[in-house]
Amino acid sequence: MSEGQDEATVSRRKFLGAGSAIVAAAAGLGSAQAQETSSKDEPIIRTPDHHLPSESEPAAKNTALDEQNPNSVWSPATDAGGQPPFKYSFSLSHKRMEGGGWTRQVTVRDLAISKKMAGVQMRLIKGGVRELHWHVGAEWALMLYGSARITAVDQEGRSHVSDVNKGDLWIFPGGIPHSIQGLGDDGCQFLLVFDDGNFNEFATFLLTDWLTHTPPDVLAKNFNVPAETFAKVPPKELFIFERPLPRPLAEEQKQAEAGTGRVPHSFDFRPSEMKPTKVSKGGEVKIVDRKIWPATNIAAAIVTLKPGGLRELHWHPNEDEWQYYVSGKGRMTVFAAGGHARTMDFQEGDVGYVDKSAPHYVENTGDTDLVFIEVFPTPYYEDISLAEWLAHTPSRLVNQHIATGEDFLAKINKKEVVIVPE
Ligand code: MN
Ligand code: MN
C-alpha cells in the first residue's frame, strides 16, 4: 500500500469515526447509509482480485451463502446502497406441514419492499386437498410440478372444474371460493401469487372453520334440514388433508354446472398452447394478461433467458413487479433514483420485487436457461425500455445528454427488443 493510500485510509477513518457518525445519529440514519454518504468525496479503492487489506474479510463467514450471492459480496462498482433488499427465498420460509402436503409463504412480513404482492408455495400429495376456501385478494397460480384438479364458483353460481398440469396457470379473483386437489401418482407442487403483500395463507375463509363457528340451529334453518346433518363437521379446520382421488373430470363438471352452467371465461390458462409474444437470440417471453386471458386481473410475463441473455433495461409505469425464479441463475440491478442502485443474485425458489417505475434489468449469469416470471397486480402488462425511450426522443437532445453520438442513437431498434441479443 502506498503512503498516499495509507493517509487516505486514516483520514477516512477519522472522518467516519467522528463527524459522519454524529451527523448520522442526528439525522436518524443507519451507519451503513452514513458511510455511503460520507465516502462520496474520496475515491473508493477496489481491485479486481480483491487483494487489498481493506477488501479482505478475515473473520469466519457463510461461504455457501456468499457463493450464491457474488453480487452482494462484491457489488458492481456502479452499485451505491440505499436501495432496500428486493430478494427473499422460499428456502428461508417456515413450512407448515400437514397430512396431505405442506405450504410456505413469502409476504411483506418477510420481504419489507413487497407491499402489493405476496407468494405461496404448496405441495399436495396424491389426493391431497387444499380445503374449500376463499380470501379477499386474487390468487394467480403457476403449476411447478405434477397435476391437480381445481374447482371454483363465481358470483352468479357458475362453476369451474378443470385439471391443470405443469406450466399451466389459474386465476381465482378475490372472494371467489375454490379448492385444489393433487392428482396422478405423486400429486403436485405449485406457486400462488396474491395481489396483497399482507396476504396470509394461514388466515383464509375455510368451509369447515365457518360452519364450526355458526350455531347448528342456524345451519339447520338455512338448509331446512335437522341440525344432526352437520354433526360430523370437523371441529377444527382441515386446511390441507388427504382423501381419495376425485371422480372423472367430465362427471364432476356436469354435476357442478347443473342449473347455472360454467363460468363464461375459464379460470385456467395454458401458456404451452400460445406462441411466444417475442422471440430473440437471447431468449423469449410470453406475456399473459387480460388481452388474451379475459378472466385474469393479474398480468404476467414468463421469461426464458438463454445463457448470456439479458432482459433489457426497462421499467413498468403502471405497477410493482413480483418475481419468482423457476430455474437457472441470474442477477438484477434495481436503480432507485437519488444515486441509489443495488444488484442481487437469484436462483430457483427465490422471490424478487421491483417498485413501480423503478428501472431494472435481469441477466442470465449461469450456463443453463434462466426461467423466471414477472407478476403484476393489474389486468394489463405495461413496460417502457431504455432503448425505445432513446429511439423515440429527438436524437440531438439525447446526444446532448449522454454524448454517445447520434449514429449510435439512429441504430437503436425502433421496436422494443425485450430480450437481447436480438
Ligand atoms: Mn386460495
Ligand atoms: Mn420488469
Side-chain angles (χ1 to χ4, degrees), residues 142-270:
L142 168 65
M143 286 288 288
L144 298 171
Y145 169 84
S147 55
R149 175 156 307 170
I150 57 173
T151 79
V153 174
D154 78 1
Q155 62 276 24
E156 296 186 41
R158 296 172 297 197
S159 152
H160 176 103
V161 181
S162 71
D163 292 348
V164 287
N165 301 298
K166 184 180 174 184
D168 292 345
L169 312 178
W170 73 70
I171 182 78
F172 295 135
I176 295 293
H178 53 277
S179 69
I180 309 148
Q181 184 171 22
L183 300 178
D185 289 337
D186 192 33
C188 59
Q189 190 177 332
F190 49 88
L191 173 79
L192 305 175
V193 187
F194 300 87
D195 58 359
D196 171 13
N198 203 35
F199 178 81
N200 187 357
E201 183 69 16
F202 310 142
T204 59
F205 299 103
L206 298 167
L207 175 62
T208 55
D209 201 21
W210 187 23
L211 296 195
T212 296
H213 292 92
T214 303
D217 59 310
V218 172
L219 288 174
K221 187 183 283 185
N222 191 72
F223 291 101
N224 193 26
V225 293
E228 303 87 77
T229 307
F230 303 97
K232 289 181 185 168
V233 172
K236 193 173 166 290
E237 66 180 43
L238 294 170
F239 190 59
I240 294 174
F241 59 106
E242 187 185 3
R243 289 290 184 274
L245 288 172
R247 299 193 174 108
L249 178 61
E251 185 182 337
E252 294 208 330
Q253 285 174 327
K254 192 176 171 207
Q255 185 202 352
E257 290 165 14
T260 50
R262 190 173 289 203
V263 293
H265 301 297
S266 181
F267 285 154
D268 67 33
F269 186 87
R270 293 159 209 273

Side-chain angles (χ1 to χ4, degrees), residues 27-58:
L29 299 172
S31 60
Q33 206 170 346
Q35 287 184 23
E36 291 291 344
T37 307
S38 66
S39 63
K40 268 182 182 166
D41 48 6
E42 61 186 80
I44 298 162
I45 301 151
R46 296 174 54 152
T47 58
D49 61 349
H50 320 299
H51 71 274
L52 296 177
S54 63
E55 296 174 297
S56 67
E57 197 177 336

